[in-house]
Amino acid sequence: MAFDRRTFLGTTAATGAAVALTGATSTPAAAQSESPESRGPGPRTYSFTVMGTTDLHGNVFNWDYFTDKEFDDKAHNDVGLAKISTLVNEVRAEKGRRNTLLIDAGDTIQGTQLSYYYAKVDPITARRGPVHPMAQAMNAIGYDAAALGNHEFNYGIPMLRKFEEQCDFPLLGANALDAKTLRPAFAPYSMHRVRTPHGPDVKVAVLGLTNPGIALWDKANVQGKMTFPGLEEQAAKYVPKLRSMGADVVIVSAHSGSSGTSSYGDQLPYIENAAALVAEQVPGIDAILVGHAHTEIPEYRVRNKATGKDVVLSEPLKWGQRLTLFDFELTWSKGCWSVSKVSAKVLNSNTAVEDPKITGLLSDEHRKVVAYVNQVIGTSTQAMSSADGPVKDVPIIDLINHVQAETVKAAMAGTEWAALPVLSQASCFSRTAAIPAGQVTIKDAAGLYPFENTLEARLLTGAQLKDYLEYSARYFVRTAPGDVVDPAKLTNSESVPDYNYDAVYGVSYDIDIAQPVGSRISGLSFEGKAVDPAARFVFAVNNYRASGGGNFPHVPQARQLWANSDEIRNTIISWVKAKGTVDPAGFASVDWRLTRAGVPVF
């Protein structure tokens, strides 16, 4: 496929559009002068299917590199493009390949040790570097287009550009603009011709939209280089243009959830999860492939305010656990095709075997990564688990915080902030993370921190710290004294995910879950004394939180004292290597607990 790879600067809207139009044609074009009648008798209807994935996050194999065994969860889901490939092949066999398209809604190149390895250990950006496993797999499966996700920017723009170059399909982002020219930095859309057996081709436009939160979450990589306006405004700009270009069907691939909410509050004027708003506000869209939220939505219909027509949304579950199918029915009338019906559903990849074409293609890469994650880096005096981490102060979360606090304290040495106490925040990112007694490997340490977050130091007051903890404590379901406590039902109030509940290390406090949100923190103390609201602390915090992720108060506006470009999980790995032995006696203590009216819950 002759897809012109543009340099980052100098991209124009015209160039992006032309590239998408000429480079993403999925089948040979038919003569547009033909009509159903000129090709002989036959029905004046046509059906085709658009398949979709999202939030693949570096999953090719049905494998968990953090446990080094086949992936499994309580629902017995499977993951990976190898399984998706089998489902795609089955759909193509049933529908006819020329009657299908395959698209993705972003977050492709971050999330597993496989994707990390080819970003950092054996990077694709190196001279004569390898081809990214996700590019190899998606090319082999035959993707037609993919939207950009926010995690595409985690490793920097050069890495993303190299990945783009290695893909045989366009990466789309109508709202990813060059910060200087405000022109598209990536192709905004792609146009595909679907060859019908009895009439003119159906022109299918795929408009790609990414998440405005990139401006916060990857500020270090994109500030001054790219800007990310709202999904609604860019959709309103491009959908009429696509229709004027003759698009019979317009599909949006949006790396944006459907809830209408934002994790970053009012720090950006744009909605994070705007897919349903796009459907409601922008006329001319037939379907939206939804991403980013990591939820499963087989079919969700939103009525457009201007046209009164339903727009069909679908979000397949993350990591290749599901494949969305949009089924379109078209009717030929008055010299053009029009959409008469759209429906959507999802297929579960746990019903499929892995496609040997994909597993064989990447078997060497898989073996390299398995060998890498099994490298021994130290020993532990005892086993530690995160299973109780959401409701108890456990040593394994203290380990993350201790490493972060030590790292920031060392960075403060010799500065005007050296005498200030250092606190640290961390979340229970995975309830299955574990450090075994005995040998500790890279996969054990990396499993504590599955995200590519980096570390910063911010300046907070005691009053701000109290606000921060009160906000974090909204994670717990209000439970009256005397009520039965079920740990499985005690957390994730207001749909707050585990990674947006922070435990703070270096101070002591109680969380009274019988109290309303905002009045739960009591006994906040530092070294045995009540925290003075005017006291100052150095706060070790990940870049996601510091950039506004989770909408925690004060930290995004707080003075930045230091920042590091290395991933926190690498910092943990390096700490274990340097210490040789992990001994919880050196860092673990119970500094926070859940209470009701002063009585401990556990």
Side-chain angles (χ1 to χ4, degrees):
M1 175 172 153
F3 188 76
D4 181 19
R5 302 299 173 187
R6 294 150 288 121
T7 57
F8 172 66
L9 297 176
T11 301
T12 67
T15 301
V19 167
L21 181 59
T22 61
T25 303
S26 58
T27 56
Q32 291 302 293
S33 59
E34 293 186 32
S35 67
E37 293 83 359
S38 67
R39 288 194 181 179
R44 299 188 182 188
T45 60
Y46 174 66
S47 300
F48 74 101
T49 297
V50 176
M51 298 172 282
T53 54
T54 191
D55 296 278
L56 293 169
H57 284 288
N59 284 280
V60 174
F61 298 84
N62 186 41
W63 197 259
D64 185 344
Y65 293 97
F66 293 125
T67 61
D68 196 24
K69 60 185 179 182
E70 185 173 322
F71 177 88
D72 195 21
D73 62 13
K74 292 180 180 179
H76 301 298
N77 290 302
D78 287 345
V79 300
L81 278 170
K83 294 220 164 198
I84 289 294
S85 182
T86 296
L87 292 178
V88 168
N89 291 338
E90 290 172 354
V91 173
R92 285 171 174 164
E94 177 190 350
K95 309 282 187 179
R97 177 154 188 162
R98 73 177 185 180
N99 301 319
T100 64
L101 293 171
L102 175 60
I103 63 176
D104 182 81
D107 274 7
T108 304
I109 58 173
Q110 173 277 337
T112 64
Q113 286 292 286
L114 179 70
S115 54
Y116 176 82
Y117 186 90
Y118 287 97
K120 293 291 188 177
V121 182
D122 185 12
I124 65 171
T125 50
R127 188 166 178 257
R128 297 179 181 175
V131 177
H132 199 288
M134 295 301 287
Q136 291 191 60
M138 295 173 82
N139 290 343
I141 295 169
Y143 274 76
D144 293 288
L148 294 164
N150 54 284
H151 283 288
E152 259 66 85
F153 294 84
N154 285 174
Y155 298 115
I157 291 171
M159 165 75 179
L160 175 54
R161 287 299 184 192
K162 188 63 178 180
F163 176 70
E164 180 190 28
E165 179 184 312
Q166 293 177 343
C167 291
D168 292 342
F169 51 90
L171 300 184
L172 307 177
N175 61 328
L177 309 181
D178 183 305
K180 295 179 181 178
T181 66
L182 298 183
R183 293 172 176 170
F186 294 84
Y189 57 84
S190 56
M191 194 74 80
H192 310 262
R193 296 184 186 275
V194 181
R195 185 73 180 269
T196 69
H198 50 259
D201 297 349
V202 174
K203 291 179 70 176
V204 182
V206 179
L207 177 66
L209 297 170
T210 193
N211 206 288
I214 296 165
L216 290 175
W217 304 323
D218 267 303
K219 182 178 180 179
N221 290 326
V222 302
Q223 188 174 33
K225 299 174 184 177
M226 296 181 68
T227 185
F228 303 88
L231 283 81
E232 304 100 306
E233 70 175 66
Q234 293 303 104
K237 174 182 176 180
Y238 279 102
V239 172
K241 180 176 182 178
L242 295 171
R243 290 293 184 183
S244 70
M245 292 169 61
D248 301 300
V249 179
V250 173
I251 301 167
V252 174
S253 183
H255 194 76
S256 180
S258 61
S259 64
T261 60
S262 292
S263 68
Y264 42 73
D266 59 1
Q267 293 184 74
L268 288 175
Y270 312 114
I271 299 296
E272 176 183 353
N273 296 301
L277 295 174
V278 172
E280 181 184 75
Q281 296 176 13
V282 181
I285 298 170
D286 296 299
I288 301 179
L289 177 65
V290 178
H292 182 64
H294 289 203
T295 57
E296 181 178 344
I297 305 174
E299 183 183 271
Y300 174 38
R301 292 180 176 270
V302 176
R303 181 151 295 179
N304 184 267
K305 287 184 175 180
T307 66
K309 294 181 179 179
D310 281 354
V311 181
V312 176
L313 284 67
S314 181
E315 181 176 5
L317 201 57
K318 64 187 185 297
W319 305 345
Q321 294 179 29
R322 303 288 187 273
L323 176 70
T324 278
L325 302 187
F326 290 106
D327 290 315
F328 292 86
E329 294 183 14
L330 279 69
T331 303
W332 178 265
S333 177
K334 298 180 181 178
C336 64
W337 290 108
S338 61
V339 175
S340 54
K341 183 180 179 182
V342 186
S343 61
K345 63 181 179 181
V346 296
L347 303 181
N348 193 329
S349 67
N350 71 6
T351 65
V353 298
E354 291 188 307
D355 185 347
K357 174 183 174 182
I358 305 302
T359 56
L361 178 68
L362 293 164
S363 59
D364 287 344
E365 288 83 349
H366 177 66
R367 281 194 293 268
K368 286 180 182 179
V369 176
V370 168
Y372 165 74
V373 301
N374 280 289
Q375 292 179 38
V376 175
I377 55 174
T379 60
S380 178
T381 61
Q382 67 183 65
M384 293 180 282
S385 168
S386 65
D388 292 332
V391 295
K392 297 180 182 178
D393 188 349
V394 294
I396 201 166
I397 306 300
D398 287 344
L399 173 58
I400 298 172
N401 271 320
H402 181 70
V403 172
Q404 292 181 164
E406 270 201 358
T407 302
V408 167
K409 189 171 184 178
M412 295 297 102
T415 73
E416 62 181 298
W417 318 108
L420 292 182
V422 177
L423 311 179
S424 178
Q425 60 80 223
S427 304
C428 182
F429 296 111
S430 168
R431 298 191 184 201
T432 59
I435 296 289
Q439 290 186 337
V440 178
T441 63
I442 285 177
K443 75 171 185 287
D444 298 325
L448 302 184
Y449 220 108
F451 299 103
E452 268 76 34
N453 293 341
T454 57
L455 189 60
E456 296 190 15
R458 299 280 177 130
L459 187 65
L460 288 187
T461 67
Q464 290 172 332
L465 175 65
K466 176 78 163 17
D467 289 346
Y468 189 98
L469 291 171
E470 289 285 8
Y471 181 83
S472 186
R474 71 195 178 104
Y475 170 75
F476 297 103
V477 175
R478 190 175 184 182
T479 309
D483 285 359
V484 175
V485 172
D486 180 354
K489 297 178 181 179
L490 198 57
T491 63
N492 307 104
S493 180
E494 302 178 24
S495 299
V496 174
D498 292 349
Y499 62 77
N500 275 341
Y501 167 64
D502 286 356
V504 174
Y505 178 84
V507 289
S508 297
Y509 56 97
D510 289 345
I511 303 173
D512 191 334
I513 60 174
Q515 298 301 316
V517 171
S519 303
R520 292 181 167 182
I521 302 300
S522 63
L524 179 60
S525 63
F526 174 72
E527 294 185 343
K529 298 180 180 180
V531 169
D532 184 342
R536 296 192 301 173
F537 298 92
V538 177
F539 195 44
V541 60
N542 68 56
N543 69 303
Y544 173 77
R545 191 70 78 236
S547 297
N551 199 28
F552 278 64
H554 305 306
V555 171
Q557 296 81 28
R559 181 172 179 178
Q560 185 188 73
L561 308 180
W562 173 84
N564 188 13
S565 61
D566 200 18
E567 289 89 353
I568 291 170
R569 68 174 168 215
N570 277 348
T571 303
I572 296 171
I573 290 168
S574 297
W575 186 91
V576 174
K577 284 181 177 179
K579 295 292 183 182
T581 300
V582 179
D583 184 358
F587 56 80
S589 60
V590 179
D591 293 324
W592 67 271
R593 61 181 184 171
L594 301 183
T595 64
R596 289 184 294 182
V599 178
V601 174
F602 300 108

